[in-house]
Amino acid sequence: MYRVVEIEEVRDEAKDVKTFFFRDTSNPQPGQFYMIWIPQVDEFPMSISYIGELKGFTVKKIGKGTTKMHSLQKGDKLWLRGPYGKGFKIEEGKALVVGGGTGMATLAPLAEMLGNKDIIIAAKSEDEIIFRNRFKENVFFATDDGSLGFKGFATKLAERMIEEDDYKIIYTCGPEMMIRKMVDIAKERKIKIQASLERYMKCGIGICDSCTINGYRVCVDGPVFSEEILFSMDDLGRRWRAKSGKSISKEENHDIGEKSQ
Amino acid sequence: MLETVVSGIRFSNPLLLASGIMDETADSMIRISKSGAGGIVTKSIGMEEREGYENPVVYELPNGLGLLNAMGLPNPGIENYKNEIKNALKGGVPVIGSIFGKDAGEFLYLSKRMEDYGVHAIELNLSCPHAKGYGMEIGVDENLVEEIVNEVKKSVNIPVWAKLTPNTHKIVDIAKAAEKADALVLINTVRGMAIDVDARVPVLKNVYGGLSGPCIKPIGVRAVYEVYRETQKEIVGVGGILNGRDALEYIMAGAKAVQIGTAIYYRGVGVFHEIASEMREWMKKNKVSKIKELVGIAQVR
């Protein structure tokens, strides 16, 4: 069963990224996702980026469904099911939030709830940075080309900040290679970590086995996983599943890009 | 107490994972094995790699009635499935390789490959209700069913199970056509569809799908009951089993084992352990020491 929501506002966030605001009866946790159906076009998973009374999806134009969604305006409708999956759990102590690309959309409602935290917002370049003004303090930017903030990968900046501060927990979301690196850093430095993963998802309800990584279903067991599982995930950043379920390597996976949700 | 034997294969309990649910990757199959399933049936595997249909592939019916799905037989293809089987076998329970093909020749080839890979039995998918040229389109034709079952039986040494469709008025005739199979699996999903009234279009990308879950249980129980009466075949019951009483219902209709799928959606991966203990509890209370005492007991003679 779907329920229909009406888009109340569309906001440009960055190059090819827009936020769609709507009202809905559901009560999502940060890190949870919905399945958005645009009839006769596509259905795709999308994590929630605003969880207040006015809820939001922050969407990058990538595939057929998200491209169509970008053409929608105030007053247009979305068909939803969800929220699904397990969201973030708030841990004690100072947090480091590391968001790459639109991965920051998944982390933003969590970051707003955290007390003591630093936030890294990263992207390839300045024009792809989202939520530049959403957080008032403790925000650090990283861009691959140095057009805003630290020049280089988010993981490099994170390593430097971890050297200098006593973080108790890392929250991260973004390209899987970035997550892999953050998990390795957390393991080496014995810091807790939670990461929201993205894998090719079909049913969204834990039956089809499409988004499974090392026996864990991203849609039901995740999308947010904690260190005890992340440290054991051999395939994270190494092996993927094609739409057919075939196991493929990084080289065979042409879809690895930014987090498309 | 719950041990059962189907086509000579011993299962520690009669609750097997149904084909199509959490059984594309070896890691998931191992996880289900460790979660108390008596056996595993793989996703249906064909000759070539297939991506399946585009989303939406599933529709959740309101009020816990069940699910409608049209995945479109996604699978890595038989040549890419060797490692998954090899690893799935590490789960320590019997693995049944499900296959689908468009004719006897394909079924034959796939069966031999599955046998080479080390599966304990073959399940012939003669019943997928939503894939053109496959499954049910073959499974409602007695001649084709007979040919496929007989050809496969002649060429492999492991047991062959035939999974039949409920989407026919002549299920007993189809079952008789498949009589050379070592066991019959009844039923696959029921062909159906859903329209979203607000969108004014069918929900599933493929329009038609297969209905599963509690709403189809009476159809499955009837099919098992009817076929058990009319044939001497061993039967594996499937369709809408959510709890111990549902599993017992199928067994009393004539099934020696059952398969569980959609219940994972409703109750999680722990559902195998839970159903097993619900069955044991009922059996203790009713002084039944072995499940086989109950097979077909509800048949009115």
Side-chain angles (χ1 to χ4, degrees):
Chain A
M1 276 282 279
Y2 294 92
R3 53 189 192 279
V4 186
V5 299
E6 190 178 305
I7 297 167
E8 296 201 8
E9 187 195 334
V10 182
R11 186 186 295 165
D12 280 313
E13 300 284 4
K15 191 180 86 180
D16 291 338
V17 182
K18 290 180 181 180
T19 298
F20 300 81
F21 291 95
F22 61 97
R23 269 168 234 275
D24 180 40
T25 51
S26 61
N27 184 25
Q29 300 299 306
Q32 286 193 300
F33 71 96
Y34 293 69
M35 295 300 285
I36 302 178
W37 179 41
I38 301 177
Q40 293 177 295
V41 180
D42 198 5
E43 185 199 43
F44 48 94
M46 190 62 59
S47 58
I48 194 86
S49 62
Y50 288 87
I51 59 170
E53 202 192 322
L54 203 57
K55 295 177 175 58
F57 294 124
T58 300
V59 179
K60 181 164 186 171
K61 191 158 79 174
I62 288 189
K64 195 167 51 174
T66 52
T67 299
K68 175 69 186 177
M69 192 157 168
H70 267 239
S71 73
L72 301 181
Q73 294 167 1
K74 185 179 173 186
D76 286 336
K77 293 185 171 84
L78 295 173
W79 275 251
L80 303 184
R81 53 188 180 102
Y84 292 123
K86 297 197 171 48
F88 292 100
K89 295 186 291 280
I90 293 180
E91 295 280 350
E92 293 284 308
K94 188 166 187 183
L96 179 62
V97 178
V98 184
T102 42
M104 194 59 221
T106 305
L107 293 162
L110 167 79
E112 285 177 340
M113 289 165 72
L114 295 171
N116 193 9
K117 84 250 175 176
D118 287 327
I119 303 169
I120 296 175
I121 302 180
K124 288 197 188 80
S125 64
E126 186 181 9
D127 59 352
E128 296 185 20
I129 292 279
I130 62 169
F131 302 152
R132 194 169 169 173
N133 301 310
R134 185 164 171 179
F135 305 96
K136 296 294 163 257
E137 48 197 5
N138 305 91
V139 181
F140 302 85
F141 296 101
T143 49
D144 296 359
D145 63 2
S147 51
L148 181 68
F150 176 82
K151 182 176 186 209
F153 288 153
T155 50
K156 271 269 173 274
L157 177 58
E159 269 186 306
R160 281 196 194 178
M161 290 169 68
I162 291 166
E163 290 274 346
E164 287 164 19
D165 213 328
D166 187 24
Y167 297 107
K168 298 295 184 206
I169 170 85
I170 296 167
Y171 297 102
T172 189
C173 183
E176 194 167 306
M177 299 312 293
M178 184 196 94
I179 293 174
R180 173 80 252 172
K181 180 73 181 163
M182 288 310 304
V183 168
D184 291 343
I185 291 169
K187 190 172 186 180
E188 191 187 312
R189 306 205 176 228
K190 300 190 172 61
I191 304 173
K192 288 182 177 178
I193 184 168
Q194 291 175 27
S196 175
L197 306 186
E198 181 181 9
R199 285 290 173 122
Y200 191 80
M201 199 180 279
K202 292 182 181 176
C203 74
I205 53 173
I207 57 169
C208 78
D209 214 15
S210 172
C211 65
T212 298
I213 170 167
N214 295 122
Y216 297 100
R217 298 163 295 172
V218 169
C219 65
V220 168
D221 303 311
V224 178
F225 293 96
S226 301
E227 61 280 345
E228 68 274 11
I229 290 173
L230 291 168
F231 291 168
S232 74
M233 266 188 185
D234 290 340
D235 286 354
L236 184 69
R238 299 190 185 113
R239 293 203 72 83
W240 283 261
R241 294 277 171 180
K243 289 178 188 175
S244 67
K246 181 184 166 188
S247 175
I248 53 175
S249 67
K250 188 181 165 192
E251 289 69 34
E252 294 166 291
N253 184 0
H254 308 297
D255 296 329
I256 308 178
E258 276 193 71
K259 190 154 173 88
S260 61
Q261 293 181 16
Chain B
M1 195 175 201
L2 293 180
E3 301 79 35
T4 189
V5 177
V6 181
S7 66
I9 302 171
R10 189 169 296 276
F11 297 94
S12 62
N13 72 63
L15 310 172
L16 320 182
L17 174 69
S19 180
I21 293 93
M22 281 186 77
D23 53 6
E24 191 165 77
T25 70
D27 286 334
S28 287
M29 291 188 267
I30 291 172
R31 181 177 173 191
I32 299 286
S33 308
K34 307 270 183 223
S35 302
I40 300 288
V41 187
T42 70
K43 198 115 174 164
S44 289
I45 305 299
M47 300 291 286
E48 306 285 342
E49 185 177 354
R50 257 174 86 102
E51 291 189 348
Y53 300 135
E54 289 178 11
N55 271 14
V57 290
V58 63
Y59 177 73
E60 299 168 79
L61 271 71
N63 309 320
L65 289 169
L67 295 173
L68 191 60
N69 91 83
M71 298 303 304
L73 295 169
N75 79 99
I78 191 72
E79 307 307 335
N80 293 317
Y81 212 62
K82 185 178 184 176
N83 274 337
E84 304 292 347
I85 296 282
K86 203 179 84 191
N87 290 325
L89 288 164
K90 293 176 188 160
V93 303
V95 173
I96 289 95
S98 173
I99 55 171
F100 72 94
K102 67 175 184 322
D103 54 37
E106 286 192 3
F107 274 101
L108 192 72
Y109 179 81
L110 293 162
S111 301
K112 283 180 161 169
R113 295 297 283 166
M114 278 289 188
E115 184 176 33
D116 291 344
Y117 295 167
V119 298
H120 296 82
I122 304 285
E123 182 175 283
L124 306 172
N125 180 348
L126 299 166
S127 41
C128 174
H130 54 70
K132 213 165 171 41
Y134 295 107
M136 174 190 137
E137 292 194 6
I138 290 168
V140 293
D141 182 324
E142 289 126 284
N143 295 328
L144 276 174
V145 167
E146 189 174 354
E147 184 193 352
I148 291 164
V149 170
N150 293 357
E151 290 291 318
V152 172
K153 261 311 283 177
K154 265 190 275 177
S155 57
V156 296
N157 296 309
I158 50 176
V160 175
W161 297 5
K163 186 169 182 178
L164 306 184
T165 177
N167 301 296
T168 169
H169 62 283
K170 46 181 186 177
I171 197 156
V172 172
D173 297 333
I174 303 287
K176 284 179 176 166
E179 72 171 335
K180 288 232 165 60
D182 299 281
L184 301 177
V185 184
L186 302 162
I187 56 175
N188 205 318
T189 52
V190 178
R191 190 167 156 92
M193 72 178 284
I195 291 166
D196 186 283
V197 170
D198 298 305
R200 305 179 184 197
V201 292
V203 174
L204 296 173
K205 189 72 160 204
N206 185 57
V207 180
Y208 308 108
L211 189 58
S212 65
C215 64
I216 70 164
K217 194 188 66 177
I219 301 173
V221 172
R222 182 269 300 163
V224 170
Y225 185 94
E226 219 178 349
V227 170
Y228 182 87
R229 274 180 105 73
E230 302 292 331
T231 73
Q232 306 305 312
K233 305 305 300 178
E234 292 186 285
I235 296 171
V236 178
V238 51
I241 295 170
L242 215 54
N243 55 46
R245 293 182 76 90
D246 295 336
L248 289 164
E249 193 178 346
Y250 268 97
I251 288 164
M252 290 182 186
K256 294 183 82 178
V258 296
Q259 295 178 355
I260 311 279
T262 305
I264 293 174
Y265 160 70
Y266 287 112
R267 298 183 65 180
V269 173
V271 69
F272 293 92
H273 271 310
E274 290 167 15
I275 294 182
S277 66
E278 288 158 10
M279 290 174 77
R280 274 192 218 101
E281 205 174 302
W282 186 93
M283 287 166 70
K284 271 184 205 142
K285 213 168 161 184
N286 291 277
K287 301 192 171 40
V288 177
S289 61
K290 289 195 168 74
I291 204 83
K292 69 174 176 196
E293 295 168 30
L294 299 173
V295 176
I297 201 167
Q299 291 280 340
V300 177
R301 296 291 174 193

